[in-house]
């Protein structure tokens, strides 16, 4: 079995180079930037077409959920907020010391009823400046990963346009890791965002998204590859794009995670993106 040209093009967007068992005609195999290229095997039965091709027949997702994520109590008032109230509350938040160093809060972006919700970690320098999540280098990789499965942050219908939010809405100084107290202070905002979006699937990117949503300190590598649930919504764990930029050899695993997410979405009856 061979990759279609479209699949190859999608994988190249992620910096994933295709393994070719035989010599391939020119143009049939992606040639990614060697510095970032990783190699993946040809498509197997588990890999969905990352294209606009017709969806395969739904089949059950690979593994059932092992973790029932507890749901934190929402701070008073947040549970009933609508989008404008929530956005204004986040913008005025002084619940932890991160408010002192921020240029602005980074609330979230995308379709407010998106089928796919992406949860990252915290704003970096550029996000703090622009007020939008994932606009730096890791954001470019995230956009490419989304494009590889026919999703986008740009205007589109809710099956294609994702909603992107972070666990923290303010930039930690020097891009240090989020502190437990900061995660706890910000958690209610993320919970309410999930409640308002009502996504059909969540992609948790990196250890802090996992800590916040699944209450697990297990490494990402131990949690990926199976379907978890958050507030009843299927949740797939994958590597954070910033980690993938530092460890491009794990992009192939991230690709597997995206395939699992697409497969899970299909199994739950969601329309295939695209
Ligand atoms: N990393 C994140 O997790 N979120 C951002 O918004 C930017 C970088």
């Amino acid at each position: 079995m061979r990759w279609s040209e479209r699949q190859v093009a999608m994988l190249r967007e992620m910096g994933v180079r295709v393994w070719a068992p035989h010599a391939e005609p020119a143009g049939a195999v992606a040639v990614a930037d060697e510095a970032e290229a990783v190699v993946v095997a040809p498509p197997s039965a588990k890999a969905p077409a990352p294209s606009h091709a017709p969806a395969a027949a739904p089949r059950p997702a690979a593994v059932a959920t092992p973790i029932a994520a507890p749901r934190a109590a929402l701070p008073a008032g947040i549970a009933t907020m609508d989008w404008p109230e929530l956005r204004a509350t986040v913008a005025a938040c002084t619940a932890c010391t991160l408010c002192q160093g921020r240029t602005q809060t980074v609330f979230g972006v995308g379709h407010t009823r998106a089928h796919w919700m992406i949860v990252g970690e915290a704003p970096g320098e550029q996000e703090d400046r622009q007020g939008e999540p994932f606009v730096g280098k890791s954001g470019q990789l995230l956009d490419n990963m989304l494009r590889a499965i026919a999703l986008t942050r740009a205007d589109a219908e809710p099956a294609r346009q994702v909603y992107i939010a972070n666990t923290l809405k303010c930039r930690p100084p020097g891009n240090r890791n989020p502190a437990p107290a900061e995660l706890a202070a910000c958690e209610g905002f993320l919970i309410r965002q999930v409640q308002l979006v009502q996504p059909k699937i969540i992609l948790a990117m990196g250890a802090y998204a996992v800590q916040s949503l699944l209450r697990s300190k297990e490494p990402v590598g131990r949690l990926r590859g199976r379907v978890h649930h958050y507030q009843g919504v299927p949740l797939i764990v994958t590597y954070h794009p910033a980690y993938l930029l530092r460890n491009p050899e794990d992009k192939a695993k991230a690709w597997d995670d995206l395939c699992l997410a697409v497969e899970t979405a299909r199994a739950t009856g969601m329309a295939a993106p695209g």
Side-chain angles (χ1 to χ4, degrees):
M1 205 170 183
R2 289 180 41 152
W3 295 99
S4 72
E5 274 184 30
R6 182 165 180 88
Q7 283 176 310
V8 167
M10 293 296 184
L11 289 166
R12 182 165 40 197
E13 304 255 21
M14 278 180 66
V16 175
R17 187 155 51 90
V18 173
W19 172 72
H22 315 292
E24 299 285 344
V29 176
V31 181
D33 174 353
E34 288 298 322
E36 290 203 347
V38 290
V39 179
V40 297
S44 66
K46 74 181 163 73
S51 67
H52 299 257
R59 59 195 173 91
V63 187
T65 180
I67 295 176
R71 203 177 127 184
L74 281 179
I78 294 183
T80 54
M81 283 181 184
D82 61 13
W83 281 114
E85 287 169 328
L86 186 64
R87 185 181 278 278
T89 304
V90 167
C93 181
T94 55
C96 77
T97 54
L98 293 183
C99 64
Q100 294 163 10
R102 73 183 176 219
T103 306
Q104 59 191 314
T105 52
V106 177
F107 182 69
V109 72
H111 203 295
T112 53
R113 292 305 300 272
H115 295 183
W116 289 70
M117 184 157 175
I118 315 298
V119 178
E121 184 180 309
E125 187 181 0
Q126 294 195 48
E127 290 77 19
D128 172 73
R129 221 181 288 139
Q130 296 185 40
E132 179 170 331
F134 282 104
V135 291
K137 261 202 129 187
S138 51
Q140 284 168 21
L141 177 56
L142 173 60
D143 287 341
N144 290 344
M145 293 169 75
L146 295 176
R147 196 174 306 125
I149 53 171
L151 297 172
T152 176
R153 77 166 76 198
D155 279 354
E157 69 276 18
R160 288 200 61 219
Q161 186 186 3
V162 301
Y163 188 84
I164 306 174
N166 283 319
T167 54
L168 294 189
K169 312 304 187 212
C170 296
R171 180 193 180 202
N175 296 344
R176 66 157 168 74
N177 290 337
E182 293 158 359
L183 288 168
C186 229
E187 185 179 32
F189 299 139
L190 180 60
I191 292 171
R192 188 63 188 148
Q193 284 175 306
V194 175
Q195 289 176 346
L196 288 168
V197 173
Q198 296 181 33
K200 296 175 193 277
I201 189 160
I202 298 173
L203 206 52
M205 306 192 101
Y208 292 96
V210 166
Q211 273 185 36
S212 193
L213 296 172
L214 293 183
R215 296 285 166 89
S216 172
K217 292 209 170 167
E218 288 272 308
V220 168
R222 301 264 294 270
L223 292 170
R224 55 173 293 279
R226 51 199 158 127
V227 183
H228 305 270
H229 285 88
Y230 176 76
Q231 295 185 17
V233 180
L235 180 151
I236 304 296
V237 170
T238 193
Y239 294 107
H240 191 282
Y243 167 88
L244 292 173
L245 289 172
R246 294 191 306 271
N247 301 274
E249 68 281 1
D250 278 341
K251 281 185 182 175
K253 291 183 189 160
W255 172 244
D256 282 345
D257 299 335
L258 294 181
C259 290
L260 175 60
V262 171
E263 191 180 332
T264 304
R266 283 185 184 152
T268 58
M270 275 172 67

